[in-house]
Amino acid sequence: MTGGMTAKLFLHGVPDSPAIWSPLLDALALGDTPVAVPALPGFTGPLPAGFAATKDAYADWATGEAAALAAQHGPVDIVGHDWGALIAQRVAMLLIRSWA
């Protein structure tokens, strides 16, 4: 675990991609803070085989992303934009230290 740095998970909205976060991440200058900006399944490439593309499937996927980040780095802060905010809210109810 990383001492003192809370990992960050950023979830983009529809029809965006992780690129939406670049200006914000540059402005935040998080340094060595662990940051994850995954693409929602199907948004920057084909849907993974068997992925249902329902709100529940996206929430489950995001929960897995948050859990993996937390397992590696400890507490997680999550930020969501647009539809990503709705997914973040569902994840926050289960796993996340803070939500914006």
Side-chain angles (χ1 to χ4, degrees):
M1 279 191 198
T2 305
M5 290 183 281
T6 303
K8 314 294 184 210
L9 175 63
F10 292 81
L11 299 175
H12 66 82
V14 176
D16 298 313
S17 75
I20 192 174
W21 297 115
S22 292
L24 177 62
L25 292 174
D26 290 345
L28 292 175
L30 295 173
D32 293 334
T33 300
V35 174
V37 287
L40 275 65
F43 280 69
T44 59
L47 279 173
F51 189 78
T54 64
K55 66 179 179 173
D56 291 330
Y58 281 104
D60 289 345
W61 168 84
T63 299
E65 293 289 312
L69 196 59
Q72 187 173 7
H73 300 288
V76 174
D77 295 321
I78 189 170
V79 180
H81 170 258
D82 187 62
W83 201 59
L86 299 175
I87 295 169
Q89 181 180 15
R90 294 202 48 204
V91 175
M93 291 177 201
L94 301 173
L95 299 175
I96 305 300
R97 185 181 77 115
S98 69
W99 166 51

